[in-house]
Amino acid sequence: MLYWLLYEKLYPVFRVFRIFRYLTFRCVFASLTALLIGMLIGPFVIRRLREFQIGQYIRDEGPQSHKTKSGTPTMGGVLICIAILIPTLLWSDLRNPFVWLVMASTAAFAGIGFADDYIKVVHKRNLGLTGRQKLALQFLISGAVAAVLTVMQGKGFYSTRLVVPFLKHFRPDLIWQWMGAIPHLHWLSYLPFIVFVMIVITGASNAVNLTDGLDGLAIGCTIIAAGALTVLTYVSGHVVFSDYLEIPRMPMVGELTIFCGAMVGAAISFLWYNAHPAEIFMGDVGSLMLGGAIATVAVVIKQELLLPFIGGVFILEALSVMLQVGSYKLRGGKRIFRMAPLHHHFELSGWSESKVITRFWILALVFALFALTTLKLR
């Protein structure tokens, strides 16, 4: 809205407002706006959550040291959601369909998390939506994102071809072209792409959710992942950088730099209150939302295969849970880790909570930097 007012309406009169046409400038303003919103309304949100007695319920099988965190206000993801969406509305070009798609996906995943957290609060236990219910809703939203992208592909705004790291000239298409010629079944040609997008977005959403177990761990890793995505969205929409890096240029996705900048600012503001010892937890409303938002942006800018590096810590946490469950079921109750997700394993191995968090942040930064270096490697 401010972009429309300051640049499109006032720029012809006040030439100084020309600066608002630049993505980098608006990205910085979006990040600062998100940071300011989060810092200003954070105390109010924490106070209101305490008044409504919306506190975290700690699972009995978790580390005993976490019992002291019971009752800490949760559902802080509402704060993150507000701090992301408002700056995006203010500083981005709202005629861009990708902006609306990413914001809608973010809000929808936040809705799932809100429902999950609300049920936990009402029933005063650490169980909200069932696993099947949560997955069904996540797949539904991810499928809707994929369906919108297929429509955009038909209009020439998007490509269903994968960008493969290290192999820039190998771009497999996720559409069955041969099926497009079959009467009444042409819509099935998009099935591989839709299934792929559903798995990527749903998987990322749950990976962030699993990482959210220590004060500041998930949100700190989110800052790093969102920062890497900010760079990727900018270069994907820039004619010079995309040509130099030999990545597909997508002029319209550059506007998502504003969204990613807002995500960085919102995450930093939340970390202020979520740092150890946490005054507020993001809850599922935050973790599911952030995972969905990160993955949706990655899919839109054709960098979904870089997600294992952009969000390397999230992937490791999810893999640790899958390996633990698989080992327990297939090896007669034997476990690989002391406890999953992975951060609990290191806690029970004697690492302090602060040390686990800091070292995981360092690891996340290494993964993100490697993801950015792959842009020139082939």
Side-chain angles (χ1 to χ4, degrees), residues 102-182:
V102 172
M103 285 199 300
S105 175
T106 301
F109 275 98
I112 297 175
F114 183 87
D116 191 40
D117 285 336
Y118 182 77
I119 293 173
K120 292 176 184 177
V121 171
V122 170
H123 294 286
K124 300 185 182 300
R125 56 190 174 91
N126 194 40
L127 294 173
L129 294 172
T130 65
R132 290 184 178 180
Q133 289 173 332
K134 196 181 298 185
L135 280 175
L137 290 171
Q138 289 172 308
F139 277 126
L140 179 64
I141 294 169
S142 304
V145 170
V148 172
L149 290 175
T150 59
V151 173
M152 290 185 174
Q153 189 265 353
K155 295 182 178 181
F157 297 144
Y158 184 77
S159 172
T160 53
R161 290 187 176 275
L162 281 178
V163 175
V164 183
F166 311 111
L167 302 171
K168 294 187 178 181
H169 299 294
F170 176 62
R171 298 194 59 203
D173 198 342
L174 292 179
I175 292 181
W176 287 330
Q177 298 290 351
W178 56 270
M179 185 167 282
I182 302 177

Coordinates of all heavy atoms in Angstrom, one line a residue, residues 102-182:
V102 N 2.1 -16.4 -1.6 CA 2.9 -16.7 -0.4 C 2.3 -16.2 0.9 O 2.3 -16.9 1.9 CB 4.3 -16.1 -0.6 CG1 5.1 -16.2 0.7 CG2 5.1 -16.7 -1.8
M103 N 1.6 -15.1 0.8 CA 0.9 -14.6 2.0 C -0.2 -15.5 2.4 O -0.5 -15.8 3.6 CB 0.4 -13.2 1.8 CG 1.5 -12.1 1.8 SD 0.9 -10.4 2.1 CE -0.2 -10.3 0.7
A104 N -1.0 -16.0 1.4 CA -2.1 -16.9 1.6 C -1.6 -18.2 2.2 O -2.2 -18.7 3.2 CB -2.9 -17.1 0.3
S105 N -0.5 -18.7 1.7 CA 0.0 -20.0 2.2 C 0.5 -19.8 3.7 O 0.2 -20.6 4.5 CB 1.2 -20.4 1.4 OG 1.9 -21.6 1.9
T106 N 1.1 -18.7 3.9 CA 1.6 -18.4 5.3 C 0.4 -18.3 6.3 O 0.5 -18.9 7.4 CB 2.4 -17.0 5.3 OG1 3.5 -17.1 4.4 CG2 2.9 -16.7 6.7
A107 N -0.6 -17.6 5.9 CA -1.8 -17.4 6.8 C -2.5 -18.8 7.0 O -3.0 -19.1 8.1 CB -2.7 -16.4 6.2
A108 N -2.5 -19.6 5.9 CA -3.2 -20.9 6.0 C -2.5 -21.8 7.0 O -3.1 -22.5 7.8 CB -3.4 -21.5 4.6
F109 N -1.2 -21.9 6.9 CA -0.4 -22.7 7.8 C -0.5 -22.2 9.2 O -0.5 -23.0 10.2 CB 1.0 -22.9 7.3 CG 1.2 -23.9 6.3 CD1 1.3 -23.6 4.9 CD2 1.4 -25.3 6.6 CE1 1.5 -24.6 4.0 CE2 1.6 -26.3 5.7 CZ 1.6 -25.9 4.4
A110 N -0.5 -20.9 9.3 CA -0.7 -20.3 10.7 C -2.0 -20.7 11.2 O -2.2 -21.0 12.5 CB -0.6 -18.8 10.6
G111 N -3.0 -20.8 10.4 CA -4.4 -21.3 10.8 C -4.4 -22.7 11.4 O -5.0 -23.0 12.4
I112 N -3.6 -23.6 10.7 CA -3.5 -24.9 11.2 C -2.9 -25.0 12.6 O -3.3 -25.6 13.5 CB -2.7 -25.8 10.2 CG1 -3.4 -25.9 8.8 CG2 -2.5 -27.2 10.8 CD1 -2.6 -26.6 7.8
G113 N -1.8 -24.2 12.7 CA -1.1 -24.2 14.0 C -1.9 -23.6 15.1 O -1.9 -24.0 16.2
F114 N -2.7 -22.6 14.7 CA -3.6 -21.9 15.7 C -4.6 -22.9 16.2 O -4.9 -23.0 17.4 CB -4.2 -20.7 15.1 CG -5.1 -19.9 16.0 CD1 -4.6 -18.9 16.8 CD2 -6.5 -20.2 16.2 CE1 -5.4 -18.2 17.7 CE2 -7.3 -19.5 17.1 CZ -6.7 -18.5 17.8
A115 N -5.2 -23.7 15.3 CA -6.2 -24.7 15.7 C -5.6 -25.7 16.6 O -6.2 -26.1 17.6 CB -6.8 -25.3 14.5
D116 N -4.4 -26.1 16.3 CA -3.7 -27.1 17.1 C -3.4 -26.6 18.5 O -3.6 -27.3 19.5 CB -2.4 -27.5 16.3 CG -1.7 -28.8 16.9 OD1 -2.5 -29.7 17.3 OD2 -0.5 -28.8 17.1
D117 N -2.8 -25.4 18.5 CA -2.5 -24.8 19.8 C -3.7 -24.5 20.7 O -3.8 -24.7 21.9 CB -1.7 -23.5 19.6 CG -0.3 -23.8 19.2 OD1 0.2 -24.8 19.5 OD2 0.3 -22.9 18.6
Y118 N -4.8 -24.1 20.0 CA -6.0 -23.8 20.7 C -6.6 -25.0 21.4 O -7.1 -24.9 22.5 CB -7.0 -23.1 19.7 CG -8.3 -22.7 20.4 CD1 -8.4 -21.5 21.1 CD2 -9.5 -23.5 20.3 CE1 -9.6 -21.1 21.8 CE2 -10.7 -23.1 20.9 CZ -10.7 -21.9 21.6 OH -11.9 -21.5 22.2
I119 N -6.6 -26.1 20.7 CA -7.1 -27.4 21.2 C -6.3 -27.8 22.4 O -6.8 -28.3 23.4 CB -7.1 -28.5 20.1 CG1 -8.1 -28.1 19.0 CG2 -7.5 -29.8 20.8 CD1 -8.1 -29.1 17.9
K120 N -5.0 -27.6 22.3 CA -4.1 -27.9 23.5 C -4.5 -27.1 24.7 O -4.5 -27.6 25.8 CB -2.7 -27.7 23.1 CG -2.1 -28.6 22.1 CD -0.7 -28.2 21.7 CE -0.1 -29.1 20.6 NZ 1.3 -28.7 20.2
V121 N -4.7 -25.8 24.5 CA -5.0 -24.9 25.6 C -6.4 -25.3 26.2 O -6.6 -25.3 27.4 CB -5.0 -23.5 25.1 CG1 -5.6 -22.5 26.2 CG2 -3.6 -23.0 24.7
V122 N -7.4 -25.5 25.3 CA -8.7 -25.8 25.8 C -8.7 -27.1 26.6 O -9.4 -27.2 27.7 CB -9.7 -26.0 24.6 CG1 -11.0 -26.5 25.1 CG2 -9.9 -24.6 24.0
H123 N -8.0 -28.1 26.2 CA -8.0 -29.4 26.8 C -6.9 -29.6 27.9 O -6.8 -30.6 28.5 CB -7.9 -30.6 25.8 CG -9.1 -30.7 24.9 ND1 -10.3 -31.2 25.3 CD2 -9.3 -30.3 23.6 CE1 -11.2 -31.2 24.4 NE2 -10.6 -30.6 23.3
K124 N -6.0 -28.5 28.0 CA -5.0 -28.5 29.0 C -4.1 -29.7 28.9 O -3.8 -30.4 29.9 CB -5.5 -28.3 30.4 CG -6.3 -27.0 30.6 CD -6.8 -26.9 32.0 CE -7.6 -25.6 32.2 NZ -6.9 -24.4 31.8
R125 N -3.6 -30.0 27.6 CA -2.7 -31.1 27.4 C -1.8 -30.8 26.2 O -2.1 -29.9 25.5 CB -3.5 -32.4 27.2 CG -4.5 -32.4 26.0 CD -5.4 -33.6 26.0 NE -6.4 -33.5 25.0 CZ -6.3 -33.9 23.8 NH1 -5.2 -34.5 23.4 NH2 -7.3 -33.8 22.9
N126 N -0.8 -31.6 26.0 CA 0.2 -31.4 24.9 C -0.2 -32.1 23.7 O 0.6 -32.5 22.9 CB 1.6 -31.8 25.4 CG 2.6 -31.3 24.4 OD1 2.5 -30.1 24.0 ND2 3.6 -32.1 24.1
L127 N -1.5 -32.3 23.4 CA -2.0 -33.0 22.2 C -3.1 -32.1 21.6 O -4.2 -31.9 22.3 CB -2.5 -34.4 22.5 CG -1.5 -35.4 23.0 CD1 -2.2 -36.7 23.4 CD2 -0.5 -35.7 21.9
G128 N -2.9 -31.7 20.4 CA -3.9 -30.9 19.8 C -4.6 -31.7 18.7 O -5.3 -32.7 18.9
L129 N -4.5 -31.2 17.4 CA -5.0 -32.0 16.3 C -4.2 -33.3 16.2 O -3.1 -33.4 16.6 CB -4.7 -31.2 15.0 CG -5.5 -29.9 14.8 CD1 -5.0 -29.2 13.6 CD2 -7.0 -30.1 14.7
T130 N -4.9 -34.3 15.7 CA -4.2 -35.6 15.6 C -3.3 -35.5 14.4 O -3.3 -34.6 13.6 CB -5.2 -36.7 15.2 OG1 -5.9 -36.5 14.0 CG2 -6.3 -36.8 16.3
G131 N -2.3 -36.4 14.3 CA -1.3 -36.4 13.3 C -2.0 -36.5 11.9 O -1.5 -35.8 11.0
R132 N -3.0 -37.3 11.8 CA -3.7 -37.4 10.5 C -4.4 -36.1 10.1 O -4.4 -35.7 8.9 CB -4.6 -38.6 10.5 CG -3.9 -40.0 10.6 CD -4.9 -41.1 10.5 NE -4.3 -42.4 10.5 CZ -4.9 -43.6 10.4 NH1 -6.3 -43.6 10.3 NH2 -4.2 -44.7 10.4
Q133 N -5.0 -35.5 11.1 CA -5.8 -34.3 10.8 C -4.8 -33.2 10.3 O -5.0 -32.5 9.4 CB -6.5 -33.8 12.0 CG -7.7 -34.7 12.4 CD -8.3 -34.3 13.7 OE1 -7.6 -33.8 14.6 NE2 -9.6 -34.5 13.9
K134 N -3.7 -33.1 11.0 CA -2.7 -32.1 10.7 C -2.1 -32.3 9.3 O -2.0 -31.3 8.5 CB -1.6 -32.1 11.8 CG -0.7 -30.8 11.8 CD 0.4 -30.9 12.8 CE -0.2 -31.0 14.2 NZ 0.9 -30.9 15.3
L135 N -1.7 -33.5 9.0 CA -1.2 -33.8 7.7 C -2.2 -33.6 6.6 O -1.8 -33.1 5.6 CB -0.7 -35.3 7.7 CG 0.7 -35.6 8.3 CD1 0.9 -37.1 8.3 CD2 1.8 -34.8 7.6
A136 N -3.4 -34.0 6.8 CA -4.5 -33.8 5.8 C -4.6 -32.3 5.5 O -4.7 -31.9 4.3 CB -5.8 -34.3 6.3
L137 N -4.6 -31.4 6.5 CA -4.8 -30.0 6.3 C -3.5 -29.4 5.6 O -3.6 -28.6 4.7 CB -5.0 -29.3 7.6 CG -6.4 -29.5 8.3 CD1 -6.4 -29.0 9.7 CD2 -7.5 -28.9 7.4
Q138 N -2.3 -29.9 6.0 CA -1.1 -29.4 5.4 C -1.0 -29.8 3.9 O -0.7 -29.0 3.0 CB 0.1 -30.0 6.1 CG 0.3 -29.4 7.5 CD 1.4 -30.1 8.3 OE1 1.4 -31.3 8.4 NE2 2.4 -29.3 8.8
F139 N -1.4 -31.1 3.6 CA -1.4 -31.5 2.2 C -2.5 -30.8 1.4 O -2.3 -30.5 0.2 CB -1.7 -33.0 2.1 CG -0.5 -33.9 2.3 CD1 -0.5 -34.9 3.3 CD2 0.7 -33.7 1.6 CE1 0.7 -35.7 3.5 CE2 1.8 -34.5 1.7 CZ 1.8 -35.5 2.7
L140 N -3.6 -30.4 2.0 CA -4.6 -29.7 1.3 C -4.1 -28.3 0.9 O -4.3 -27.9 -0.2 CB -5.9 -29.5 2.2 CG -7.0 -28.8 1.6 CD1 -7.6 -29.5 0.4 CD2 -8.1 -28.6 2.7
I141 N -3.5 -27.6 1.8 CA -3.0 -26.3 1.5 C -1.8 -26.3 0.5 O -1.8 -25.6 -0.4 CB -2.5 -25.6 2.8 CG1 -3.7 -25.3 3.7 CG2 -1.8 -24.3 2.5 CD1 -3.3 -24.9 5.1
S142 N -0.9 -27.3 0.7 CA 0.2 -27.5 -0.2 C -0.3 -27.8 -1.6 O 0.2 -27.3 -2.6 CB 1.1 -28.6 0.2 OG 1.6 -28.3 1.5
G143 N -1.4 -28.6 -1.7 CA -2.0 -29.0 -3.0 C -2.6 -27.7 -3.7 O -2.5 -27.6 -4.9
A144 N -3.2 -26.9 -2.8 CA -3.8 -25.6 -3.4 C -2.7 -24.7 -3.9 O -2.9 -24.1 -5.0 CB -4.6 -24.9 -2.3
V145 N -1.5 -24.6 -3.2 CA -0.4 -23.8 -3.8 C 0.1 -24.4 -5.1 O 0.3 -23.7 -6.1 CB 0.8 -23.9 -2.7 CG1 2.0 -23.2 -3.4 CG2 0.4 -23.1 -1.5
A146 N 0.2 -25.7 -5.2 CA 0.6 -26.4 -6.4 C -0.4 -26.1 -7.5 O 0.0 -25.9 -8.7 CB 0.8 -27.9 -6.2
A147 N -1.7 -26.2 -7.2 CA -2.7 -25.9 -8.2 C -2.6 -24.5 -8.8 O -2.8 -24.3 -10.0 CB -4.1 -26.2 -7.6
V148 N -2.4 -23.5 -7.9 CA -2.3 -22.1 -8.4 C -1.1 -22.0 -9.3 O -1.1 -21.3 -10.3 CB -2.2 -21.2 -7.1 CG1 -1.8 -19.8 -7.6 CG2 -3.5 -21.2 -6.4
L149 N 0.0 -22.7 -8.9 CA 1.2 -22.6 -9.7 C 1.0 -23.2 -11.1 O 1.6 -22.7 -12.1 CB 2.4 -23.2 -9.0 CG 2.9 -22.5 -7.7 CD1 4.0 -23.3 -7.0 CD2 3.4 -21.1 -8.1
T150 N 0.3 -24.3 -11.2 CA 0.0 -24.9 -12.5 C -0.8 -23.9 -13.4 O -0.6 -23.9 -14.6 CB -0.8 -26.2 -12.3 OG1 -2.0 -26.0 -11.7 CG2 0.1 -27.2 -11.6
V151 N -1.7 -23.2 -12.7 CA -2.5 -22.2 -13.5 C -1.6 -21.1 -14.0 O -1.6 -20.6 -15.2 CB -3.6 -21.6 -12.6 CG1 -4.3 -20.4 -13.3 CG2 -4.6 -22.6 -12.2
M152 N -0.6 -20.6 -13.1 CA 0.3 -19.6 -13.6 C 1.3 -20.2 -14.6 O 1.7 -19.4 -15.5 CB 1.2 -19.2 -12.3 CG 0.4 -18.4 -11.3 SD 1.5 -17.7 -10.0 CE 0.3 -16.7 -9.1
Q153 N 1.6 -21.5 -14.6 CA 2.4 -22.1 -15.6 C 1.7 -22.0 -17.0 O 2.3 -21.7 -18.0 CB 2.7 -23.5 -15.2 CG 3.7 -24.2 -16.1 CD 3.1 -25.0 -17.2 OE1 1.9 -25.2 -17.3 NE2 4.0 -25.5 -18.1
G154 N 0.4 -22.2 -17.0 CA -0.4 -22.1 -18.2 C -0.4 -20.7 -18.8 O -0.5 -20.6 -20.0
K155 N -0.2 -19.7 -17.9 CA -0.2 -18.3 -18.4 C 1.2 -17.8 -18.7 O 1.4 -16.6 -19.0 CB -0.9 -17.5 -17.4 CG -2.4 -17.8 -17.2 CD -3.1 -16.8 -16.2 CE -4.6 -17.1 -16.1 NZ -5.2 -16.2 -15.1
G156 N 2.2 -18.7 -18.5 CA 3.5 -18.3 -18.8 C 4.3 -17.5 -17.7 O 5.4 -17.0 -17.9
F157 N 3.7 -17.5 -16.5 CA 4.3 -16.8 -15.3 C 5.2 -17.7 -14.5 O 6.0 -17.2 -13.7 CB 3.3 -16.2 -14.4 CG 2.4 -15.2 -15.0 CD1 1.0 -15.1 -14.7 CD2 2.9 -14.3 -16.0 CE1 0.2 -14.1 -15.3 CE2 2.1 -13.4 -16.6 CZ 0.8 -13.3 -16.2
Y158 N 5.2 -19.0 -14.8 CA 5.9 -20.0 -13.9 C 6.3 -21.2 -14.7 O 5.7 -21.5 -15.8 CB 5.0 -20.4 -12.8 CG 5.6 -21.3 -11.7 CD1 6.5 -20.8 -10.8 CD2 5.4 -22.7 -11.7 CE1 7.1 -21.7 -9.8 CE2 6.0 -23.6 -10.8 CZ 6.8 -23.0 -9.9 OH 7.4 -23.8 -9.0
S159 N 7.3 -21.9 -14.3 CA 7.8 -23.1 -15.0 C 7.8 -24.2 -14.0 O 8.2 -24.1 -12.8 CB 9.2 -22.9 -15.5 OG 9.7 -24.1 -16.0
T160 N 7.4 -25.4 -14.5 CA 7.4 -26.6 -13.6 C 8.7 -27.4 -13.7 O 8.8 -28.5 -13.2 CB 6.2 -27.5 -14.0 OG1 6.2 -27.8 -15.4 CG2 4.9 -26.8 -13.6
R161 N 9.7 -26.8 -14.4 CA 11.0 -27.5 -14.5 C 11.8 -27.3 -13.3 O 11.8 -26.2 -12.8 CB 11.7 -27.0 -15.8 CG 11.1 -27.4 -17.1 CD 12.0 -27.0 -18.3 NE 11.4 -27.5 -19.5 CZ 11.7 -28.7 -20.0 NH1 12.4 -29.5 -19.3 NH2 11.1 -29.1 -21.1
L162 N 12.4 -28.3 -12.8 CA 13.3 -28.3 -11.6 C 14.6 -27.6 -11.9 O 15.2 -27.8 -13.0 CB 13.5 -29.6 -11.1 CG 12.4 -30.3 -10.2 CD1 12.8 -31.7 -9.8 CD2 12.1 -29.5 -9.0
V163 N 15.1 -26.8 -11.0 CA 16.5 -26.3 -11.1 C 17.3 -27.2 -10.2 O 17.1 -27.3 -8.9 CB 16.5 -24.9 -10.6 CG1 18.0 -24.4 -10.6 CG2 15.7 -24.0 -11.5
V164 N 18.2 -27.9 -10.7 CA 19.0 -28.9 -10.0 C 20.4 -28.3 -9.6 O 21.1 -27.9 -10.5 CB 19.2 -30.2 -10.8 CG1 20.0 -31.2 -10.0 CG2 17.9 -30.8 -11.3
P165 N 20.7 -28.2 -8.3 CA 22.1 -27.7 -8.0 C 23.2 -28.5 -8.6 O 23.1 -29.7 -8.8 CB 22.1 -27.9 -6.4 CG 20.6 -27.9 -6.1 CD 19.9 -28.6 -7.2
F166 N 24.2 -27.8 -9.0 CA 25.4 -28.4 -9.6 C 25.2 -28.8 -11.1 O 26.2 -29.0 -11.8 CB 26.0 -29.6 -8.8 CG 26.1 -29.3 -7.4 CD1 25.3 -30.0 -6.4 CD2 27.1 -28.4 -6.9 CE1 25.4 -29.7 -5.1 CE2 27.2 -28.2 -5.5 CZ 26.4 -28.8 -4.6
L167 N 24.0 -29.0 -11.5 CA 23.6 -29.4 -12.9 C 22.7 -28.4 -13.5 O 21.5 -28.7 -13.7 CB 23.0 -30.8 -12.9 CG 23.9 -32.0 -12.2 CD1 23.1 -33.2 -12.1 CD2 25.1 -32.2 -13.0
K168 N 23.2 -27.3 -13.8 CA 22.3 -26.2 -14.2 C 21.6 -26.4 -15.6 O 20.6 -25.8 -15.9 CB 23.1 -24.9 -14.2 CG 23.5 -24.4 -12.8 CD 24.1 -23.1 -12.8 CE 24.5 -22.7 -11.3 NZ 25.1 -21.3 -11.2
H169 N 22.2 -27.3 -16.4 CA 21.6 -27.5 -17.7 C 20.7 -28.7 -17.7 O 20.2 -29.1 -18.7 CB 22.8 -27.6 -18.7 CG 23.6 -26.4 -18.9 ND1 23.1 -25.2 -19.4 CD2 24.9 -26.2 -18.6 CE1 24.1 -24.3 -19.3 NE2 25.2 -24.9 -18.8
F170 N 20.6 -29.4 -16.5 CA 19.7 -30.5 -16.4 C 18.5 -30.0 -15.7 O 18.5 -29.8 -14.5 CB 20.4 -31.6 -15.6 CG 19.5 -32.8 -15.4 CD1 18.9 -33.5 -16.4 CD2 19.1 -33.1 -14.0 CE1 18.1 -34.6 -16.1 CE2 18.3 -34.2 -13.8 CZ 17.8 -35.0 -14.8
R171 N 17.4 -29.8 -16.4 CA 16.1 -29.3 -15.8 C 15.0 -30.1 -16.2 O 14.2 -29.9 -17.1 CB 15.9 -27.8 -16.3 CG 17.0 -26.9 -15.9 CD 16.6 -25.4 -16.1 NE 15.4 -25.2 -15.3 CZ 14.5 -24.2 -15.6 NH1 14.7 -23.4 -16.7 NH2 13.5 -24.0 -14.9
P172 N 14.8 -31.2 -15.4 CA 13.6 -32.1 -15.7 C 12.3 -31.4 -15.5 O 12.1 -30.7 -14.5 CB 13.9 -33.3 -14.7 CG 14.7 -32.7 -13.6 CD 15.5 -31.6 -14.3
D173 N 11.3 -31.7 -16.3 CA 10.0 -31.2 -16.2 C 9.1 -32.1 -15.4 O 9.1 -33.4 -15.6 CB 9.4 -31.0 -17.6 CG 8.2 -30.0 -17.5 OD1 7.6 -29.8 -16.4 OD2 7.8 -29.5 -18.5
L174 N 8.4 -31.6 -14.4 CA 7.6 -32.4 -13.5 C 6.2 -32.6 -14.1 O 5.3 -32.9 -13.3 CB 7.5 -31.8 -12.1 CG 8.9 -31.9 -11.3 CD1 8.7 -31.2 -10.0 CD2 9.3 -33.3 -11.2
I175 N 6.0 -32.4 -15.4 CA 4.7 -32.6 -16.0 C 4.8 -33.7 -17.0 O 5.8 -33.8 -17.8 CB 4.3 -31.3 -16.8 CG1 3.9 -30.2 -15.8 CG2 3.0 -31.6 -17.6 CD1 3.5 -28.9 -16.4
W176 N 3.9 -34.7 -17.0 CA 3.8 -35.7 -18.0 C 3.2 -35.2 -19.3 O 2.0 -35.1 -19.5 CB 2.9 -36.9 -17.5 CG 3.6 -37.7 -16.4 CD1 4.9 -37.9 -16.2 CD2 2.9 -38.4 -15.3 NE1 5.1 -38.7 -15.1 CE2 3.9 -39.0 -14.5 CE3 1.5 -38.6 -15.0 CZ2 3.5 -39.8 -13.5 CZ3 1.2 -39.3 -13.9 CH2 2.2 -40.0 -13.1
Q177 N 4.1 -34.8 -20.1 CA 3.7 -34.1 -21.4 C 2.8 -35.1 -22.2 O 1.9 -34.7 -22.9 CB 4.9 -33.6 -22.2 CG 5.7 -32.6 -21.5 CD 5.0 -31.3 -21.4 OE1 3.9 -31.0 -22.0 NE2 5.6 -30.3 -20.6
W178 N 3.2 -36.4 -22.2 CA 2.5 -37.4 -23.0 C 1.0 -37.5 -22.6 O 0.2 -37.8 -23.4 CB 3.2 -38.7 -23.0 CG 3.4 -39.2 -21.6 CD1 4.4 -39.0 -20.7 CD2 2.4 -40.1 -20.8 NE1 4.2 -39.6 -19.5 CE2 3.0 -40.3 -19.6 CE3 1.2 -40.6 -21.2 CZ2 2.4 -41.1 -18.6 CZ3 0.6 -41.4 -20.2 CH2 1.1 -41.6 -18.9
M179 N 0.7 -37.3 -21.3 CA -0.6 -37.5 -20.9 C -1.5 -36.3 -21.2 O -2.7 -36.4 -21.3 CB -0.6 -37.7 -19.4 CG -2.0 -38.0 -18.8 SD -2.0 -38.6 -17.1 CE -1.5 -40.3 -17.4
G180 N -0.9 -35.1 -21.6 CA -1.6 -34.0 -21.9 C -2.5 -34.1 -23.2 O -3.4 -33.4 -23.4
A181 N -2.1 -35.1 -24.0 CA -2.8 -35.3 -25.2 C -4.0 -36.3 -25.1 O -4.8 -36.5 -26.0 CB -1.9 -35.8 -26.3
I182 N -4.1 -36.9 -23.9 CA -5.2 -37.8 -23.7 C -6.5 -37.1 -23.3 O -6.5 -36.3 -22.3 CB -4.9 -38.8 -22.6 CG1 -3.6 -39.6 -22.9 CG2 -6.0 -39.8 -22.3 CD1 -3.1 -40.5 -21.9

